[in-house]
Amino acid sequence: MISHSSFTVEPWSLRETGLDLDVIAQSESVFALSNGHVGWRGNLDEGEPHGLPGSYLNGVHELHPMPYAEAGYGFPESGQTVINVTDGKIIRLLVDDEPFDVRYGRLRSHERVLDLRSGLLQRTCEWTSPAGSTVRVRSTRLVSLTQRAIAAISYEVEALDTDIRLVVQSELVANEQLPQADGDPRVSAVLESPLQPEEHLAEGTRLRLVHCTALSGLRVAAAADHLVHGPPSTEASSESNDDTSRFTITSELAPGETLRLVKLVSYGWSGVRSLPAVRDQVEAALAGARVSGWQGLADEQREYLDAFWARADVEIDGDAQIQQAVRFALFHVLQAGARAEQRAIPSKGLTGSGYDGHSFWDTESFVLPLLTYTSPDSVAEVLRWRQATLPAARDRARTLGLRGATFPWRTIDGSECSGYWPAGTAAFHINADIADAVVRYVSLTGDEDFERETGVELLVETARLWRSTGHHDPDGHFHIDGVTGPDEYSAISDDNAYTNLMAQANLRAAVDAVERHVEQGAALGVDDEETAAWRDAAAAMTVPYDSALGVHEQSAGFTRHQVWDFAGTPPEHYPLMLHYPYFDLYRKQVIKQADLVLAMFFRGDVFDDEQKARNFAYYEQLTVRDSSLSACVQAVMAAEVGHLRLAYDYLGEAALMDLNDLENNTRDGLHIASLAGTWTALVAGFGGMRQRDGLLDFAPRLPEKLKRLAFTLQVLGRRLHVEITDSQTAYTLVEGEPLDIRHFGQPLTVSGKSPQTRPTPAVITRPAPEQPHGRVPRRR
């Protein structure tokens, strides 16, 4: 998108200076607004033209049957798909009976700006109708980060050169017609008219619609109120039916006169509350928004974001594109989780319906690390949602003949809904990813209440899965066989290194947690025999190694597989999963996304420096990056082993995944994990940040083109600012008690307001690794 001629590169905003309908779906995703509870795609105010209409409530979905040519035991029977709920964005405009539609008349100018500091999406355009009347339209949109149920629009129409008669129709619309899916498995299922009407109202300036879903049993309500400022000729009326509630304004404007409409919209839903209760919920939220008014909502939004940027901003000198991209990423990741409040963070956030609105392991492994250091309260809420889904996870484990909990590969409500059984049944590593997120959150916040009330139960039930999934061989080694690791091109493998190492950490963390919280452990039925079994399994965990090649194996026997014919694979056949059978992929050395390399990042304590360098070089030549999750991880490890230029190129790929639509599916929503990976590539890659032995350890190194990198972290109630140049790094404690950290392994205590400065050692140079034919990252 930012490579498109209509987009500019600016440090604090995303600006589109013209309207190109060929990329309208992509622009709807990048201009989406959300707070983690309510999400509005960046559709035009008039509703049409559009690429994908989208108004979402986190958790609202409909069920659909999962058809199988051949059913199997344990296959999920029901799928879940996020639905487009009641659209409150629509404001239609007629100028002298001519509908304002950018496809007709003359669009003289059109500009949209997403301001990352104010959280407002602003639009200004001038349009001449086919009959020759010209108007200027200004609209500003927000989804409130402080009032969870509220979204709002300020809409102004100005007559420019002649007297005009206006009609403005502000609507709530349910069951909008959606474009058909194109067969890409990453696109959502299209459910026709998923909302069944229960109540509609139009009374004065107020509108309301209440619907329910047929199969998931969810009740959805939307309400709107309006404030109108216009000349004396302005009149208004309202009407409603099952799927539409409309407030209509008519007015006559002389040149220079303006009609202004403020539209306040509230949303609510529930799977258990009655119609009157949900109706009252949205009316109460609307009453609160009316007290704040438009300016109050905008001021609250700016105050909230000022606080966020003070604790989370990343500053870059030397690459304006990456500077814009990382702030864009931070803003959208914040939006995805800010007010999720015991709901999941979907892989697309609330920016589109891609992947059916499901949440994956991406959340815990890519999104929550960023939020733990910048917005930790939202992390606790996501993990409490995982705890709330434990009944379904325990049921799934019992179905599979296992103990503990088996968390779903993909889900909305906590139950497994993946029909791809090598992942839906065998990608157990999500258990360890959740445990890892728990440990990280507790260690970086010191939140003992959370650990006692939520963390212990999650750690215990995930640990139980590993002990029942794995086994000791006659020599005492512990194996976990028949699993799918992060690399989905290598399914149903024995001793996947990532899975085993993360399971090992999970088992050890569970032991530590129940020893700290004996009462909670006892309530869960944990005894000394069980913790001893966990210790034994962790101590004996198998990590496969090919001594002939001198590299760790991604899984047992992986390095003896035939290498994929990369030279014979045409560029248009990527991603491979859309052009080749999984059978062929599973039995070859070809990697969809970082797997063993991800293990080296998350469990770097297990590998020495030379092992990391050899492993990275070996797996680099096999990894095709058919997943948006890969580039950021490769950036981190490339930086650690000394390939700074390559790390910089991978940073660019992660950062521009959506802004340049690198995977040609930004139309379906943003890649929230890749956006979070932009921060990871900078902070963990070039900042060299790791958490080891309860301390933050930094090993910063900058690529040649970056002159300065600065970022701020929240750690144990402190605020630490890190500023890196090519020769030195300055650590400043902005807030809180003294903090012990390490710089290239050397202890350092940061206190007061004075920066502690340390030199940056020279990078060890190594031969540049190779990538698969045709898969070299784009040079920056």
Side-chain angles (χ1 to χ4, degrees):
M1 298 299 297
I2 59 175
S3 61
H4 190 281
S5 58
S6 295
F7 285 79
T8 62
V9 176
E10 302 177 19
W12 281 104
S13 61
L14 183 67
R15 186 183 305 271
E16 178 194 50
T17 58
L19 185 65
D20 185 343
L21 298 184
D22 289 337
V23 294
I24 192 169
Q26 292 90 327
S27 70
E28 290 167 352
S29 295
V30 300
F31 285 132
L33 296 178
S34 168
N35 62 11
H37 174 60
V38 177
W40 274 359
R41 278 175 64 81
N43 306 118
L44 300 180
D45 299 291
E46 306 80 57
E48 295 181 12
H50 57 240
L52 175 67
S55 301
Y56 309 109
L57 288 173
N58 194 347
V60 173
H61 65 281
E62 182 56 304
L63 304 177
H64 57 87
M66 297 282 284
Y68 299 100
E70 253 181 81
Y73 177 79
F75 284 15
E77 296 179 359
S78 181
Q80 304 165 15
T81 295
V82 64
I83 61 173
N84 181 31
V85 299
T86 307
D87 191 348
K89 303 185 297 295
I90 295 177
I91 300 177
R92 305 190 197 276
L93 171 64
L94 289 85
V95 179
D96 292 332
D97 300 327
E98 299 272 7
F100 171 33
D101 187 320
V102 297
R103 295 168 293 190
Y104 303 101
R106 181 187 171 201
L107 188 63
R108 298 169 59 170
S109 65
H110 194 280
E111 180 175 88
R112 286 187 288 180
V113 181
L114 175 60
D115 188 322
L116 304 175
R117 286 176 291 192
S118 68
L120 303 180
L121 176 62
Q122 299 166 317
R123 179 191 186 202
T124 305
C125 58
E126 291 186 9
W127 177 75
T128 301
S129 73
S133 298
T134 302
V135 293
R136 178 182 294 123
V137 178
R138 301 183 187 90
S139 71
T140 306
R141 182 184 299 180
L142 67 82
V143 173
S144 177
L145 293 164
T146 58
Q147 300 189 34
R148 183 173 183 252
I150 297 299
I153 301 172
S154 172
Y155 189 86
E156 297 181 10
V157 184
E158 179 185 359
L160 293 186
D161 55 9
T162 186
D163 293 344
I164 59 173
R165 184 175 63 256
L166 294 182
V167 178
V168 177
Q169 297 174 315
S170 172
E171 298 181 343
L172 299 177
V173 179
N175 292 316
E176 291 176 290
Q177 186 174 355
L178 300 177
Q180 290 299 309
D182 62 3
D184 187 332
R186 299 168 295 183
V187 179
S188 73
V190 176
L191 303 179
E192 186 174 350
S193 299
L195 294 171
Q196 299 183 345
E198 288 195 315
E199 182 184 85
H200 60 85
L201 174 138
E203 185 176 86
T205 61
R206 290 171 46 245
L207 309 174
R208 186 172 67 240
L209 291 177
V210 183
H211 288 77
C212 65
T213 58
L215 299 178
S216 59
L218 305 180
R219 178 169 284 114
V220 178
D225 203 353
H226 303 83
L227 301 171
V228 181
H229 302 279
S233 61
T234 303
E235 297 181 358
S237 61
S238 57
E239 59 184 322
S240 67
N241 57 43
D242 284 350
D243 284 345
T244 304
S245 195
R246 179 182 299 118
F247 177 66
T248 301
I249 307 160
T250 61
S251 187
E252 295 179 355
L253 300 183
E257 287 189 320
T258 297
L259 174 71
R260 182 177 185 234
L261 168 70
V262 171
K263 182 178 186 178
L264 306 173
V265 184
S266 66
Y267 287 95
W269 73 273
S270 176
V272 295
R273 290 198 297 277
S274 67
L275 190 155
V278 176
R279 175 209 301 147
D280 292 348
Q281 175 186 345
V282 295
E283 290 293 348
L286 203 54
R290 280 196 296 265
V291 171
S292 299
W294 170 263
Q295 193 57 52
L297 289 170
D299 290 346
E300 291 172 12
Q301 196 86 334
R302 180 61 186 247
E303 184 179 354
Y304 185 101
L305 285 166
D306 282 347
F308 171 73
W309 290 117
R311 66 178 185 264
D313 189 25
V314 175
E315 299 173 275
I316 295 168
D317 291 349
D319 192 325
Q321 240 188 7
I322 298 297
Q323 177 65 87
Q324 180 188 41
V326 69
R327 285 180 175 145
F328 174 83
L330 283 162
F331 177 77
H332 273 290
V333 173
L334 172 70
Q335 287 198 129
R339 303 302 305 274
E341 295 174 11
Q342 297 192 40
R343 293 288 169 193
I345 295 179
S347 61
K348 297 286 188 179
L350 299 178
T351 68
S353 56
Y355 292 109
D356 284 305
H358 293 166
S359 176
F360 296 76
W361 69 291
D362 312 12
T363 298
E364 280 77 14
S365 293
F366 292 84
V367 179
L368 295 194
L370 183 162
L371 291 175
T372 303
Y373 286 101
T374 59
S375 190
D377 289 348
S378 60
V379 176
E381 292 298 311
V382 171
L383 294 173
R384 290 189 182 104
W385 168 76
R386 286 292 190 188
Q387 182 186 28
T389 68
L390 269 170
R394 291 188 182 104
D395 287 345
R396 181 67 174 158
R398 284 193 292 268
T399 297
L400 299 176
L402 302 170
R403 295 192 64 223
T406 300
F407 282 99
W409 173 244
R410 56 190 299 171
T411 190
I412 294 177
D413 71 359
S415 56
E416 181 62 71
C417 57
S418 172
Y420 172 58
W421 74 267
T425 302
F428 293 111
H429 68 82
I430 189 168
N431 265 38
D433 301 324
I434 293 168
D436 182 58
V438 169
V439 172
R440 182 187 307 105
Y441 170 79
V442 172
S443 65
L444 290 171
T445 64
D447 189 343
E448 294 182 4
D449 290 340
F450 171 87
E451 183 179 44
R452 182 171 51 255
E453 297 164 5
T454 298
V456 172
E457 187 174 21
L458 287 171
L459 291 171
V460 164
E461 297 294 13
T462 50
R464 282 173 169 159
L465 175 87
W466 298 120
R467 189 59 190 86
S468 66
T469 305
H471 67 97
H472 289 278
D473 67 16
D475 295 325
H477 303 298
F478 192 77
H479 302 273
I480 303 175
D481 296 332
V483 301
T484 300
D487 172 29
E488 295 161 39
Y489 288 172
S490 304
I492 319 301
S493 302
D494 294 343
D495 287 324
N496 171 256
Y498 175 86
T499 302
N500 285 15
L501 287 170
M502 295 297 286
Q504 181 186 61
N506 188 168
L507 290 161
R508 289 171 174 167
V511 172
D512 292 343
V514 296
E515 288 180 347
R516 284 193 298 272
H517 303 282
V518 176
E519 185 177 338
Q520 281 68 34
L524 293 167
V526 180
D527 55 25
D528 291 344
E529 183 178 352
E530 187 169 24
T531 55
W534 294 346
R535 285 193 190 93
D536 291 345
M541 190 68 70
T542 300
V543 182
Y545 184 78
D546 186 327
S547 56
L549 292 173
V551 298
H552 288 85
E553 291 190 294
Q554 179 172 289
S555 57
F558 178 83
T559 54
R560 67 169 177 78
H561 290 177
Q562 181 182 355
V563 175
W564 183 268
D565 181 12
F566 297 108
T569 304
E572 63 272 16
H573 280 191
Y574 290 96
L576 299 178
M577 61 187 179
L578 300 184
H579 298 93
Y580 299 93
Y582 274 110
F583 165 74
D584 206 15
L585 297 168
Y586 290 167
R587 63 199 187 100
K588 302 284 179 63
Q589 288 193 66
V590 55
I591 298 171
K592 179 181 182 181
Q593 64 203 71
D595 191 312
L596 190 282
V597 171
L598 182 62
M600 293 195 299
F601 173 30
F602 283 2
R603 290 297 314 277
D605 56 302
V606 176
F607 307 88
D608 64 34
D609 292 343
E610 287 305 313
Q611 288 173 336
K612 288 177 182 177
R614 289 197 304 272
N615 288 341
F616 182 82
Y618 183 85
Y619 288 97
E620 182 70 3
Q621 62 188 340
L622 302 173
T623 304
V624 296
R625 305 191 314 286
D626 278 352
S627 166
S628 61
L629 302 180
S630 196
C632 63
V633 179
Q634 289 170 267
V636 170
M637 291 310 301
E640 180 171 346
V641 300
H643 305 301
L644 295 180
R645 181 56 199 253
L646 179 61
Y648 183 50
D649 295 339
Y650 280 137
L651 163 66
E653 185 170 304
L656 303 178
M657 185 63 62
D658 290 308
L659 288 173
N660 277 354
D661 195 14
L662 297 181
E663 290 203 344
N664 300 310
N665 63 353
T666 298
R667 64 186 183 275
D668 306 314
L670 302 179
H671 298 79
I672 300 299
S674 185
L675 292 173
T678 306
W679 177 91
T680 301
L682 287 164
V683 174
F686 299 130
M689 185 189 73
R690 302 289 188 275
Q691 187 187 11
R692 296 191 178 104
D693 306 322
L695 295 179
L696 291 186
D697 199 331
F698 296 89
R701 299 182 179 93
L702 292 185
E704 182 180 356
K705 291 199 173 184
L706 295 187
K707 306 305 179 187
R708 173 178 166 270
L709 168 64
F711 51 86
T712 302
L713 306 169
Q714 298 288 113
V715 184
L716 293 170
R718 288 92 154 178
R719 186 171 298 177
L720 177 68
H721 184 73
V722 182
E723 184 168 358
I724 306 163
T725 64
D726 59 353
S727 61
Q728 65 180 28
T729 301
Y731 302 95
T732 306
L733 189 66
V734 179
E735 184 180 291
E737 298 296 318
L739 180 66
D740 292 327
I741 62 173
R742 285 189 289 251
H743 176 83
F744 285 95
Q746 299 301 309
L748 175 64
T749 299
V750 188
S751 60
K753 299 291 184 180
S754 300
Q756 297 277 348
T757 303
R758 294 293 184 273
T760 300
V763 176
I764 298 174
T765 58
R766 293 185 172 94
E770 296 182 356
Q771 292 76 39
H773 177 77
R775 303 303 285 172
V776 177
R778 184 178 301 175
R779 298 299 298 271
R780 290 203 58 72

